[in-house]
Amino acid sequence: QVRLAESGGGSVQAGGSLRLSCADSGYTYRRSRMGWFRQAPGKEREGVAAIDSDERTEYAEAVKGRFTISKDNASNTLYLQMNSLKPEDTAMYYCASDGRIPATLSPKWYTYWGQGTQVTVSS
């Protein structure tokens, strides 16, 4: 059974930083691509950043230059470093994985999902 567990969310003022982590206890073949997604109240879930086993990355335009996705294969952990946070970054953040490549920001191409971690940015 694949288990994805996010952590690192919290409340921060605009301009601050947070680092999200996602511990993945699943099989290696199921994490060919991994991504971070977010969903704000009343909005659809959207892709934030993704990375695949070939280290290709994708970023949403809204976070380019501010967020960085990375992974530690030794510990099976996915990270999202978020800098220069804005109030519009407020959302529940989810990590997801899938056994296919390439990296994509489309939620429909991910099979396994975590429970999410809340990020709140105040102005």
Side-chain angles (χ1 to χ4, degrees):
Q1 183 178 359
V2 175
R3 286 177 55 88
L4 299 172
E6 303 95 335
S7 62
S11 297
V12 64
Q13 289 191 326
S17 298
L18 285 173
R19 188 173 84 152
L20 305 184
S21 299
C22 174
D24 179 2
S25 62
Y27 294 107
T28 301
Y29 76 90
R30 291 177 175 169
R31 60 177 81 94
S32 294
R33 60 179 167 221
M34 299 191 74
W36 287 99
F37 300 81
R38 66 187 181 187
Q39 188 167 18
K43 294 188 176 181
E44 292 187 357
R45 189 169 298 188
E46 63 176 0
V48 175
I51 188 169
D52 65 25
S53 53
D54 291 331
E55 304 294 328
R56 289 173 292 200
T57 58
E58 294 282 343
Y59 291 95
E61 285 297 325
V63 307
K64 280 183 180 179
R66 300 189 298 123
F67 290 11
T68 302
I69 190 170
S70 62
K71 57 187 177 77
D72 181 348
N73 292 326
S75 64
N76 298 334
T77 304
L78 182 73
Y79 299 101
L80 184 68
Q81 178 67 44
M82 306 187 295
N83 299 327
S84 303
L85 283 161
K86 304 175 180 180
E88 51 263 44
D89 294 319
T90 295
M92 183 71 78
Y93 282 71
Y94 301 88
C95 72
S97 70
D98 187 80
R100 298 161 289 184
I101 58 173
T104 175
L105 295 177
S106 178
K108 69 178 182 179
W109 295 115
Y110 288 82
T111 305
Y112 307 100
W113 292 84
Q115 295 299 307
T117 185
Q118 178 67 38
V119 171
T120 303
V121 184
S122 59
S123 58

